[in-house]
Amino acid sequence: MSADNENVLIGVIGGSGLYHLDNLTLLKYVNPKTPWGLPSSPIAICALPSGTKVAFLARHGVGHSIPPSAVPSRANIAALKSLGIRAILAFSAVGSLREELAPGDFVMPDQIIDRTKGVRPASFFEGTTVVAHAAFGDPFAGKLIGWLEGRVRKVLEEASEEEYSTRGKKPQLHTGKTIVCMEGPQFSTRAESRMYRQWGGDIINMSVLPEAKLAREAELGYALIATVTDYDSWRENESAVTATEVIKTLHANAKLSRHIAATVLEELHEAAAQGDILTEEVGAMQFSIMPRSEQQKPEDRQKLSYILPAYFS
């Protein structure tokens, strides 16, 4: 754990199109060098109007220079944890697998289907002599999602037309959905898109994993606010999804995402400071780490102490 604790409790990870936050004062950039390398981008330490600090990290780097499979997720999560962060509010653009989840809508999923292909390091324990099996049956922080739902819904209901899109449709918030995380960087084939629908998938992206898994290992609360940009490729007699189509909706969604973040961050910081919404994560790894043995190398334990000092100090 970094000795330079910034007294920041909330971290925001911005996805495609969301590269900064509104209504915040930039204090400085930090770039912690973790045992897993440097994060995707320097982390912006910002102040809310009240003076409360939050941290913002661009998942795909400055200028969107890092593809999904190459995002250094371990360094990202470790760097945020080193700043004292307890909860992560992540944003991501997604494709829709359901007619009712329309472009411009927002989704807060509660389940994940993993369709990545093993090329992304998915655990802090990978490559060490320490074995751990984190519980991941409920991949998102339930209390955090419950806290956010009403507040995000209110922001969307009160949004003016110029704050969402030119589609003329007020965006809706959908909860209790399943997100499919695919490898990419190519979009799905039509057959894959139809298969994901049969599996129970509701939305699809390329970024939620291993991010959510690593947040769980680091005992951080993690919630995803997904913004729908397109209908993927499952619709018959329609063109398959293209990057051009995605970008049309991306910028409008990002504007509203920044508004959501600016609206809820102050209250979220207060709730995190009180601790009740984060009780699920405290001590979550205590019984996930296999008993210590003589085979565990001291240097591996030292490495893991960066994210879990309570167990490896």
Side-chain angles (χ1 to χ4, degrees):
M1 184 74 67
S2 170
D4 183 20
N5 190 300
E6 295 290 345
N7 192 31
V8 186
L9 298 181
I10 306 300
V12 177
I13 298 179
S16 299
L18 186 61
Y19 306 119
H20 67 277
L21 297 179
D22 290 341
N23 302 325
L24 299 178
T25 301
L26 176 65
L27 300 178
K28 63 178 177 178
Y29 286 101
V30 295
N31 200 23
K33 184 176 182 180
T34 78
W36 299 274
L38 293 171
S40 295
S41 67
I43 299 171
I45 305 298
C46 305
L48 296 165
S50 66
T52 296
K53 295 178 182 178
V54 298
F56 178 82
L57 187 153
R59 181 186 291 117
H60 296 288
V62 178
H64 201 114
S65 57
I66 306 173
S69 299
V71 170
S73 295
R74 291 190 295 185
N76 289 348
I77 299 300
L80 291 172
K81 179 70 181 281
S82 76
L83 299 177
I85 281 166
R86 297 186 59 194
I88 293 174
L89 183 56
F91 288 86
S92 176
V94 300
S96 171
L97 298 169
R98 303 292 166 187
E99 191 71 36
E100 65 272 20
L101 307 183
D105 281 356
F106 285 66
V107 186
M108 292 178 60
D110 62 4
Q111 282 296 326
I112 306 173
I113 295 174
D114 189 353
R115 281 286 290 165
T116 60
K117 299 178 180 178
V119 299
R120 312 177 185 193
S123 172
F124 288 111
F125 296 85
E126 184 176 321
T128 76
T129 54
V130 181
V131 177
H133 302 282
F136 203 59
D138 297 301
F140 299 100
K143 288 187 176 182
L144 179 57
I145 290 175
W147 185 94
L148 285 166
E149 180 180 346
R151 291 159 177 85
V152 173
R153 196 179 300 279
K154 182 179 179 181
V155 173
L156 295 179
E157 289 174 352
E158 296 178 350
S160 60
E161 185 170 353
E162 61 267 20
E163 286 179 311
Y164 43 93
S165 72
T166 58
R167 294 175 181 269
K169 173 186 174 295
K170 188 176 285 290
Q172 303 297 308
L173 174 65
H174 307 270
T175 59
K177 302 301 181 181
T178 296
I179 182 169
V180 178
C181 187
M182 63 178 290
E183 189 62 59
Q186 300 82 4
F187 292 122
S188 304
T189 67
R190 293 187 186 277
E192 289 170 333
S193 192
R194 290 192 292 266
M195 178 181 69
Y196 298 146
R197 282 167 48 82
Q198 293 175 349
W199 284 2
D202 298 300
I203 53 177
I204 183 167
N205 85 340
M206 303 177 190
S207 301
V208 71
L209 294 176
E211 201 169 87
K213 290 183 176 180
L214 295 166
R216 179 60 51 84
E217 287 189 345
E219 296 190 343
L220 297 176
Y222 181 90
L224 179 71
I225 297 180
T227 60
V228 179
T229 58
D230 60 89
Y231 274 116
D232 206 54
S233 298
W234 56 273
R235 281 174 143 194
E236 299 291 343
N237 303 318
E238 289 197 16
S239 300
V241 61
T242 66
T244 300
E245 178 186 355
V246 169
I247 291 171
K248 288 180 181 179
T249 308
L250 193 63
H251 295 298
N253 284 2
K255 182 178 180 180
L256 191 47
S257 293
R258 291 194 297 270
H259 180 57
I260 289 172
T263 303
V264 305
L265 281 174
E266 184 76 64
E267 197 175 352
L268 178 56
H269 176 92
E270 294 176 4
Q274 294 172 1
D276 182 61
I277 63 171
L278 303 179
T279 53
E280 297 167 297
E281 287 67 47
V282 177
M285 291 297 293
Q286 181 177 359
F287 301 108
S288 298
I289 302 168
M290 301 303 289
R292 183 172 182 174
S293 73
E294 295 180 356
Q295 303 303 315
Q296 292 182 2
K297 296 179 179 179
E299 58 266 33
D300 290 339
R301 296 183 61 85
Q302 177 63 33
K303 181 179 184 179
L304 293 166
S305 71
Y306 191 88
I307 56 159
L308 294 171
Y311 310 127
F312 296 103
S313 59

